[in-house]
């Protein structure tokens, strides 16, 4: 087909980046035009990503839409773009979320200018680059440079304590990525290539694998984030402007999970089998401990930030259970392993949509009451019934209600965990109560009861753009909840292939 | 044919709910019409099905509805299992639901959330039918969560009322505790049998009985463990000790909801599930004993609490818990069809009791304290009459529906010689009589304390009175009408595994409905019932002062009962308090102080400190640098040339 001879991935990546440059040419105070241009470029990118999805063959696990141009040829570094099942899912997530942010930005009364919108487009392009690169140096450059736009978004448009938050966020994640760079260089020497898939076939001894494993774990574990390297996230969320929080929670965290699946899982299986108990323990701590911490929060954004960490616990649990099953004698039963890994992916997508919805909701409340404190709100349902219904929906989805996307991922991860060790499943299943507690308790305190606060009484009803940015998310969450195979089928072959290659490698 | 029929029964309420959700006009009339017709269709079809199954209970049909999701070999599907059990249950759900919907037209007419109310109730009926017709565990779980959601939304229907939103949060979270058990059980079944179909589980029971599951070096037999986990889910939904305490609080919701969800249908889902899984429970050994003990103690202890309550809805709520205890006890004794039979009659008379309560509350301008009411007999003749029927049915006066189902359960234990349980359940009869008559005498007799005006017109609109009459009929007669045909005519033979013991019981003990009734007049429970009526007449009508009796040691008992065995305090104060305490410790002590301040910022501060010190070396004086260079050079020479 003609699309396969067309550099569609380059177009996908560079469209938003060119858009972001064009935005800088527009006069700073011409806000309506800026917002329209921003929305236009994000929608174009969305359309490109849908074209990719449409032409993507989910039954083929090999790389598709490959573009390979020599870049630094004497080092054999290539501009090498391609997609597989994992990439496509995250590409779609990125483009959808960015478009929704652009839609939502129409309503934000924050002092925005062309640079603010421009940075979001730039960030989108870079994130798409992360998900498309199959050259490790190219990957690393994209991976690293995503920090810059977000650093600026929080650092310039953030709250009062933004400098502390940005520095913490930046240094924390940079610390991880330095280790990543070292590992990638080491691997490239071993494999004599920077092509990521070449690393998969390396036969490394256990000691080397353990070093690599730890380096990858720190690099991606900080990003996702895992307990105990999570403390940058609540601070960053609290200080970030609403749309910054949305993209941070919905997409940037997923880069960590994507990296684990792309690098950690296939490259260091022996070390994974050796060390998975540690990571599983950390994941279970994240699920239980962080849920409790979320209960204690007084700031809505912090609460959702902690809830994100707890939900990401299921992602890491699902991924590292793969090693655990491999280490036991389940060798023949690839299906249970597959369920866990697919569940982790499902959980990432689902959390992306749900947390985006919740952060937008909090943004909507904030623009009206100028406060994110839980005890300064009450009875919003009286003044904004439609909004409250939508927010309640996201909160219920966040607590994993069947029929929403929140249930499927957790269910699948639980299946694979009970097969390995019922005790893990017992611990992980406490999320049913804990997630419901912090989500619905938040809903109760913010939405229900009598309106006591003057700011709440004066709240304006939902704007059309606000409504649609939430409603699209509602539709997607329901759609995935009712038809989970929309997601699962895309990544199925890729997951299956990884697991098969792991089983044969051992 | 059957496929379409069931699909319409299930999805008609969902369709109604969706139409109402996107309905634009604000008229109450169109809402009422759509909301009621959608349920009405399901009701008529279910009634039709029930009648056809009463003639021939054998057809068992199993369909796949659609594939929900799949992962390689595993597929998770929605399906329909149509047999005598699901048909009865669907009849109960749609029949009660339909009349409560009609009642709600009147009850909710002045409420601003009229449309919202019907969206929720229609959605609830759909979710409940999803459970009823499910043929697999995942669909059961989905329905389970969705009825929980509907219950949550409806308890908190008046969301500005803080007590209501506290109650719905409590209800949801307690049910979620049960759901942990249910979900773990379901997943355990899945990994043990590689399928979630009921039938597949029943077929692989013998293989499963040899399987052990190891948790932290302790080995458990698979079947009892699964049965126990599922029972945890059932006990939360069906309000059994110790997960019962959400139900009395759920009375904060509108009264039709209490009738529909928290008396007749949703709370019986747990009972229904265990009946549905009777082959599994038959094999589960000690779990059955546990169920029996929990059921009996719930029946007895929660009935006692009802005695000290004064809120009319709370009394009936505790009565519901107690009656669910009777059903659970029957389950524990493996008489599953008896439990379903009590579920059937209870659904009608308890829904009727709640609707009467609603009618009374409406007349008394939302006063719910029965000690403040009185003398309503003349003013509300219809309600009086309906309450009388529901009340005697609840007490179990012979010939009423409640008698046939409850005495049957009590007689199980007389027959199998388990006298301990038997006497507790008999004591339960006495208690039931007391609290039922308490409401009766306090509300309908005595002085008209609230000064309710007696108008010459009807006490309420037709839409409120009609359901009272419609439910009074089955409350009175359905027990006798279906006794022989449903219980002992092989009706449940295809669905439950207790066919042998029940037919044995029938042949040796009951013989026929007539002889059972006649026999009942000489039984202990009837004697207790009569004593109960006399006692309550003396206490509540003649108002004999009992305060002397409740001095001294007995006052302690009263205190315990009034604190509802401490569950009020536990659930409202202690548990939330300790959760918050743990949360705060984890957050402040661990997250903020240790991880963030000590480690993360600590490292940053240390680096800053060290660099501040090192910075001092950068003095800017050339002679300092020159001096350092000379020393450095000397050290170099020393090392390299071994001076």
């Amino acid at each position: 087909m003609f699309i396969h001879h067309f550099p569609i991935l380059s177009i996908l990546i560079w469209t938003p980046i060119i858009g972001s440059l064009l935005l800088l040419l527009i006069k700073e105070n011409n806000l309506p035009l800026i917002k329209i241009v921003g929305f236009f470029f994000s929608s174009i990118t969305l359309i490109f990503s849908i074209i990719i999805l449409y032409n993507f063959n989910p039954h083929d696990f090999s790389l598709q839409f490959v573009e390979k141009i020599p870049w630094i040829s004497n080092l054999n570094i290539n501009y090498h773009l391609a997609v597989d099942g994992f990439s496509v899912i995250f590409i779609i997530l990125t483009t959808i979320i960015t478009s929704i942010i652009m839609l939502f930005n129409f309503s934000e009364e924050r002092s925005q200018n062309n640079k603010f919108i421009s940075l979001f487009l730039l960030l989108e392009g870079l994130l798409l680059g992360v998900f498309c690169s199959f050259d490790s140096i190219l990957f690393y450059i994209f991976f690293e440079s995503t920090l810059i736009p977000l650093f600026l978004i929080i650092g310039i448009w953030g709250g009062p304590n933004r400098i502390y938050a940005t520095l913490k966020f930046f240094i924390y994640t940079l610390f991880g990525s330095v280790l990543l760079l070292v590992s990638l260089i080491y691997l490239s020497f071993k494999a004599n290539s920077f092509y990521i898939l070449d690393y998969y076939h390396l036969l490394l001894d256990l000691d080397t694998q353990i070093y690599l494993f730890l380096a990858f774990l720190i690099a991606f574990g900080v990003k996702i984030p895992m307990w105990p390297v999570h403390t940058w996230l609540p601070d960053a969320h609290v200080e970030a402007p609403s749309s910054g929080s949305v993209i941070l929670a919905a997409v940037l965290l997923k880069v960590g999970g994507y990296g684990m699946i792309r690098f950690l899982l296939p490259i260091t299986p022996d070390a994974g089998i050796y060390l998975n108990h540690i990571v599983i323990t950390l994941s279970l701590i994240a699920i239980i401990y962080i849920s409790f911490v979320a209960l204690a929060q007084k700031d809505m954004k912090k609460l959702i930030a902690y809830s994100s960490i707890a939900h990401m616990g299921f992602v890491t649990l699902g991924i590292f259970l793969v090693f655990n099953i491999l280490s036991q004698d389940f060798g023949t039963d690839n299906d249970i392993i597959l369920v866990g890994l697919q569940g982790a992916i499902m959980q990432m997508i689902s959390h992306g949509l749900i947390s985006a919805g919740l952060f937008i909701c909090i943004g909507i409340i904030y623009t009206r009451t100028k406060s994110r404190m839980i005890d300064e709100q009450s009875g919003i349902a009286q003044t904004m019934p439609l909004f409250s219904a939508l927010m309640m929906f996201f909160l219920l989805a966040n607590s994993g209600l069947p029929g929403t996307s929140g249930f499927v991922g957790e269910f699948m991860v639980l299946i694979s965990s009970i097969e390995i060790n019922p005790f893990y499943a017992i611990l992980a299943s406490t999320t049913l109560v804990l997630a419901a507690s912090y989500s619905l308790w938040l809903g109760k305190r913010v939405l229900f009861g009598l309106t006591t606060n003057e700011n709440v009484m004066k709240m304006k009803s939902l704007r059309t753009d606000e409504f649609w940015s939430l409603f699209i998310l509602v539709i997607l969450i329901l759609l995935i909840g009712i038809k989970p195979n929309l997601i699962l089928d895309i990544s199925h072959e890729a997951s299956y292939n990884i697991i098969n290659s792991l089983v044969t490698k051992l | 044919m059957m496929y379409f029929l069931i699909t319409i029964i299930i999805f008609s309420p969902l369709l109604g709910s969706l139409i109402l959700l996107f309905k634009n006009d604000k008229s109450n009339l169109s809402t009422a019409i759509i909301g009621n017709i959608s349920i009405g269709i399901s009701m008529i079809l279910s009634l039709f099905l029930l009648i056809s199954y009463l003639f021939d209970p054998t057809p068992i049909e199993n369909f796949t509805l659609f594939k929900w999701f799949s992962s390689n070999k595993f597929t998770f599907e929605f399906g329909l299992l149509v047999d005598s059990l699901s048909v009865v249950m669907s009849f109960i759900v749609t029949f009660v639901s339909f009349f409560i919907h009609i009642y709600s037209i009147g009850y909710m007419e002045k409420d601003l959330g009229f449309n919202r109310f019907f969206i929720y109730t229609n959605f609830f009926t759909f979710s409940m039918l999803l459970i009823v017709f499910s043929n697999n565990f995942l669909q059961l779980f989905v329905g389970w969560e969705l009825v929980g959601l509907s219950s949550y939304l409806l308890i908190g229907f008046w969301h500005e009322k803080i007590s209501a939103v506290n109650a719905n949060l409590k209800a949801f979270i307690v049910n979620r505790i049960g759901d942990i058990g249910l979900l773990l059980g379901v997943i355990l079944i899945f990994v043990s049998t590689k399928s979630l179909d009921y039938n597949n589980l029943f077929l692989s029971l013998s293989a499963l009985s040899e399987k052990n599951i190891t948790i932290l070096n302790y080995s458990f037999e698979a079947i009892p463990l699964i049965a126990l986990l599922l029972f945890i889910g059932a006990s939360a939904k069906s309000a059994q000790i110790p997960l019962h305490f959400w139900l009395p609080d759920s009375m904060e919701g509108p009264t039709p909801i209490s009738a529909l969800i928290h008396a007749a249908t949703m709370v019986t889902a747990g009972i229904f599930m265990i009946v549905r899984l009777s082959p599994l429970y038959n094999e589960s050994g000690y779990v059955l004993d546990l169920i029996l003990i929990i059921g009996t103690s719930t029946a007895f202890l929660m009935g006692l609490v009802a005695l000290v309550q004064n809120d009319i809805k709370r009394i009936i709520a505790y009565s519901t818990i107690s009656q669910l205890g009777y059903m659970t006890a029957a389950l524990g004794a493996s008489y599953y069809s008896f439990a379903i039979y009590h579920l059937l009659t209870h659904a009608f008379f308890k829904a009727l009791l709640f609707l009467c309560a609603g009618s009374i509350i409406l007349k008394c301008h939302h006063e719910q304290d029965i000690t403040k009411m009185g003398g309503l007999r003349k003013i509300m003749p219809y309600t009086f009459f309906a309450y009388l029927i529901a009340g005697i049915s609840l007490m179990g006066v012979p010939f009423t529906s409640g008698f046939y189902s409850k005495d049957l359960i009590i007689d199980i234990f007389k027959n199998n010689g388990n006298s301990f349980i038997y006497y507790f359940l008999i004591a339960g009869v006495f208690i039931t009589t007391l609290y039922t008559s308490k409401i009766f005498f306090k509300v309908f007799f005595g002085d008209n304390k609230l000064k309710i005006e007696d108008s010459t017109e009807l006490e309420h609109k037709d839409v409120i009175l009609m359901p009272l009459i419609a439910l009074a009929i089955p409350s009175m007669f359905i027990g006798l009408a279906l006794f022989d045909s449903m219980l002992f005519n092989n009706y449940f033979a295809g669905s439950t595994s207790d066919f042998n013991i029940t037919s044995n019981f029938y042949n040796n003990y009951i013989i026929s409905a007539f002889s059972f009734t006649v026999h009942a007049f000489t039984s202990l429970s009837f004697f207790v019932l009569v004593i109960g009526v006399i006692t309550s007449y003396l206490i509540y009508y003649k108002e004999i002062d009992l305060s002397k009796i409740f001095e001294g040691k007995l006052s302690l008992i009263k205190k315990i009962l009034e604190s509802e065995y401490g569950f009020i305090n536990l659930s409202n104060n202690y548990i939330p308090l300790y959760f918050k305490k743990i949360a705060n410790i984890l957050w402040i002590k661990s997250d903020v102080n240790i991880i963030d301040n000590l480690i993360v910022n600590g490292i940053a501060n240390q680096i800053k400190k060290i660099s501040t010190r090192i910075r001092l070396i950068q003095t800017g004086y050339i002679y300092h640098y020159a001096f350092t260079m000379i020393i450095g050079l000397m050290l170099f020479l020393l090392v390299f040339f071994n001076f």
Side-chain angles (χ1 to χ4, degrees), chain A residues 51 94 259 288 364 431:
Chain A
I51 293 174
T94 313
I288 297 169
I364 288 172
T431 187

Side-chain angles (χ1 to χ4, degrees), chain B residues 349-360:
Chain B
F349 65 71
K350 192 51 69 66
L352 182 57
L353 272 184
F354 267 116
L355 295 191
C356 290
S359 158
I360 293 164

Side-chain angles (χ1 to χ4, degrees), chain A residues 164 168 172 227-228 230-231 235 289-290 292-293 295-298 302 306 333 335-336 338-339 342 381-382 392 396 399-403 407-408 411-412 414-415 418-419 421-423 425-426 429-430 432-434 436-437 440-441 444 448-450 481-485 488 492 496, chain B residues 22 66-74 76 138 141-142 145-146 149 152-153 156 159-162 165-166 168-169 172-173 176-181 183-188 190-192 194 196 213-216 578-580 582-584 586-587 590-592 595-597 600-601:
Chain A
Y164 169 73
K168 195 170 176 182
Y172 230 130
W227 189 85
H230 63 279
T231 53
D235 286 323
Y289 163 110
I290 295 291
F292 270 104
V293 176
L295 269 178
Q297 298 309 310
K298 298 176 174 66
K302 257 195 172 164
Y306 276 110
D333 198 359
D335 283 304
I336 288 282
L338 188 69
V339 169
Q342 288 277 68
Q382 315 242 340
M392 209 55 228
L396 285 163
S399 65
L401 194 77
F407 171 69
V408 186
F411 178 70
M412 293 173 80
L414 280 175
I415 286 183
I418 209 165
E419 171 83 25
N421 188 342
F423 188 61
I426 292 171
S429 63
T430 54
L432 277 180
V433 171
L434 295 172
S437 307
L440 299 184
W441 194 37
K444 192 204 105 178
F448 302 142
L450 283 171
I482 293 168
K483 209 83 195 107
N485 277 68
L488 296 176
H492 175 262
Y496 198 69
Chain B
F22 292 105
F66 65 88
K67 193 180 89 182
W68 186 20
F69 67 102
S70 65
S71 171
N72 218 27
K73 275 195 317 225
F74 302 142
F76 302 95
L138 193 57
F141 185 78
V142 172
E145 290 282 283
L146 293 184
L149 168 70
Y152 169 79
L153 293 171
H159 52 70
E160 69 284 355
K161 207 165 111 188
I162 201 76
V165 291
N166 281 335
N168 77 346
L169 187 65
F172 197 85
I173 288 175
R176 272 290 170 104
I177 295 172
D179 292 348
I180 291 183
L183 186 62
L184 286 175
V186 168
I187 294 177
L188 215 50
F190 180 74
V191 294
S192 320
K194 300 286 177 264
L196 283 173
I213 288 161
T214 318
I215 304 173
L216 291 181
Y578 279 101
F579 260 63
K580 279 182 215 165
I582 295 172
N584 264 318
L586 287 178
W587 179 39
S590 163
D591 232 45
V592 174
I595 296 181
D596 223 23
N597 288 346
V600 178
N601 292 343

Side-chain angles (χ1 to χ4, degrees), chain A residues 107-331:
Chain A
S107 70
E108 270 229 304
E109 290 160 5
R110 196 180 291 274
S111 59
Q112 299 167 339
N113 57 21
N114 54 349
K115 289 163 201 112
F116 185 76
I117 307 282
S118 158
L119 283 171
F120 276 98
L121 285 178
L122 178 65
L123 185 54
E124 178 182 23
L126 297 173
L127 283 165
L128 292 170
V130 171
F131 297 130
C132 295
S133 323
F134 275 80
D135 183 279
S136 50
I137 295 301
L138 188 66
F139 172 87
Y140 181 77
I141 289 171
F142 278 126
F143 181 79
E144 220 30 15
S145 49
T146 52
L147 290 183
I148 299 163
L150 199 66
F151 177 79
L152 294 173
I153 289 170
I154 302 176
I156 298 173
W157 287 273
N161 200 11
R162 58 183 182 268
I163 305 295
Y164 169 73
T166 39
L167 270 181
K168 195 170 176 182
F169 152 71
F170 197 85
I171 292 172
Y172 230 130
T173 36
L174 197 67
F175 167 67
S177 25
V178 172
L179 297 172
L180 175 66
L181 182 62
V182 175
S183 320
L184 291 179
I185 292 173
Y186 176 82
L187 284 166
S188 71
F189 277 122
K190 281 271 175 186
N192 242 332
S193 140
F194 284 94
Y195 182 39
I196 293 175
L197 296 196
D198 279 348
Y199 300 164
Y200 292 7
H201 308 299
L202 289 176
L203 294 170
L204 303 163
D205 59 85
L206 183 61
D207 286 344
T208 325
Q209 282 199 25
I210 286 175
Y211 287 118
L212 288 170
F213 180 91
L214 292 175
F216 285 138
L217 184 67
I218 292 170
F220 298 122
V222 168
K223 204 95 195 180
I224 215 172
M226 290 177 75
W227 189 85
V229 285
H230 63 279
T231 53
W232 62 271
L233 186 72
D235 286 323
H237 268 306
V238 167
E239 300 305 326
S242 308
S243 23
S245 283
V246 174
I247 199 145
L248 174 59
V251 189
L252 260 124
L253 304 188
K254 286 17 172 221
V255 174
Y258 173 80
M260 285 181 180
I261 295 174
R262 181 68 75 217
F263 291 94
L264 217 156
L265 205 55
I267 297 176
T268 59
D270 298 314
I273 287 170
Y274 191 67
L275 294 173
N276 68 73
H277 292 282
I278 298 171
V279 190
I280 286 173
T281 311
L282 295 181
S283 310
L284 290 170
I285 291 176
I287 292 170
I288 297 169
Y289 163 110
I290 295 291
S291 296
F292 270 104
V293 176
L295 269 178
Q297 298 309 310
K298 298 176 174 66
D299 180 320
M300 288 190 271
K301 260 193 166 176
K302 257 195 172 164
L303 196 152
I304 302 301
Y306 276 110
S307 130
S308 295
I309 303 167
H311 280 97
M312 287 301 107
F314 267 94
V315 175
T316 47
L317 183 63
I319 294 174
F320 287 91
L321 281 173
V322 171
F323 292 126
N324 199 314
I325 308 183
L326 287 174
S327 69
Q328 304 182 15
D329 286 329
F330 289 110

Side-chain angles (χ1 to χ4, degrees), chain B residues 131 140-141 144 174-183 185-186 226-244 246-247 265-277 281 287 291 294 298 321 324-325 327-328 331:
Chain B
I131 297 179
L140 173 84
F141 185 78
W144 202 265
V174 175
N175 272 297
R176 272 290 170 104
I177 295 172
D179 292 348
I180 291 183
L182 182 64
L183 186 62
V186 168
I226 289 171
L228 181 67
L229 287 169
L230 295 177
F231 177 68
I232 293 173
S235 70
K237 199 79 14 191
S238 292
Q240 298 296 299
I241 292 175
L243 294 174
H244 65 279
W246 63 274
L247 190 62
T265 56
M266 185 190 82
V267 290
T268 59
I271 309 291
F272 168 76
M273 181 188 81
I274 292 174
V275 176
R276 172 55 88 206
L277 302 178
Y281 277 89
V287 177
I291 293 175
I294 286 182
T298 307
I321 300 177
L324 289 165
M327 297 175 210
T328 311
L331 296 176

Side-chain angles (χ1 to χ4, degrees), chain B residues 183-253:
Chain B
L183 186 62
L184 286 175
V186 168
I187 294 177
L188 215 50
I189 290 169
F190 180 74
V191 294
S192 320
T193 67
K194 300 286 177 264
S195 160
L196 283 173
D197 262 20
Y198 293 154
N199 276 335
N200 187 66
L201 172 71
F202 300 153
L203 293 176
S204 48
L205 274 178
S206 57
L208 204 57
S209 63
E210 284 153 27
K211 203 175 149 100
N212 280 311
I213 288 161
T214 318
I215 304 173
L216 291 181
N217 299 330
Y218 294 100
S219 183
F220 299 91
E221 283 174 65
I223 289 181
L225 182 65
I226 289 171
L228 181 67
L229 287 169
L230 295 177
F231 177 68
I232 293 173
S235 70
K237 199 79 14 191
S238 292
Q240 298 296 299
I241 292 175
L243 294 174
H244 65 279
F245 53 89
W246 63 274
L247 190 62
D249 286 22
S250 77
M251 296 298 127
E252 291 293 340

Side-chain angles (χ1 to χ4, degrees), chain B residues 378-527:
Chain B
K378 294 266 168 53
I379 301 167
M380 312 182 74
Y382 285 93
T383 309
F384 173 72
F385 173 70
Y387 186 89
L388 185 63
I389 289 180
I392 57 173
S393 194
L394 172 60
M395 293 179 205
V397 174
F399 294 111
T400 61
S401 297
F403 157 75
Y404 289 100
S405 53
K406 194 165 72 177
D407 267 34
L408 211 52
I409 291 176
I410 294 170
D411 282 348
I412 296 171
F413 301 102
K414 188 179 177 185
N415 196 36
N416 72 9
N418 197 339
S419 50
F420 187 68
I421 303 285
Y422 176 68
Y423 287 118
F424 266 106
L425 294 184
I426 289 282
V429 173
F430 182 68
I431 296 163
T432 310
T433 317
L434 284 186
Y435 63 69
T436 314
S437 335
K438 179 178 174 183
I439 300 179
F440 185 70
F441 288 122
K442 294 260 178 200
V443 172
F444 293 107
F445 295 91
D447 305 328
N448 186 347
K449 291 179 210 152
L450 286 170
K451 309 268 182 296
I452 309 288
E453 286 174 30
D454 187 7
S455 56
T456 46
E457 293 168 24
L458 282 175
E459 55 193 87
H460 283 303
K461 288 187 174 174
D462 295 346
V463 281
I464 291 188
L465 297 182
M466 194 273 269
L468 294 186
I469 297 160
L471 286 172
I473 296 166
S475 298
M476 192 67 201
F477 300 114
I478 203 167
L480 178 60
L482 296 181
F483 190 77
D484 287 319
S485 60
M486 185 174 282
L487 273 177
F488 304 109
N489 201 7
N490 293 353
Y491 182 80
F492 285 115
S495 319
T496 61
S497 60
D498 60 355
F499 175 64
N500 284 336
I501 51 170
T502 51
S503 58
N504 205 2
F505 188 69
Y506 187 73
N507 294 334
N508 296 334
Y509 183 80
I510 294 173
I511 302 155
S512 75
F514 177 73
S515 69
F516 181 67
T517 321
V518 172
H519 173 74
F521 284 104
T522 62
S523 71
L524 181 61
S525 60
F526 182 71
F527 179 65

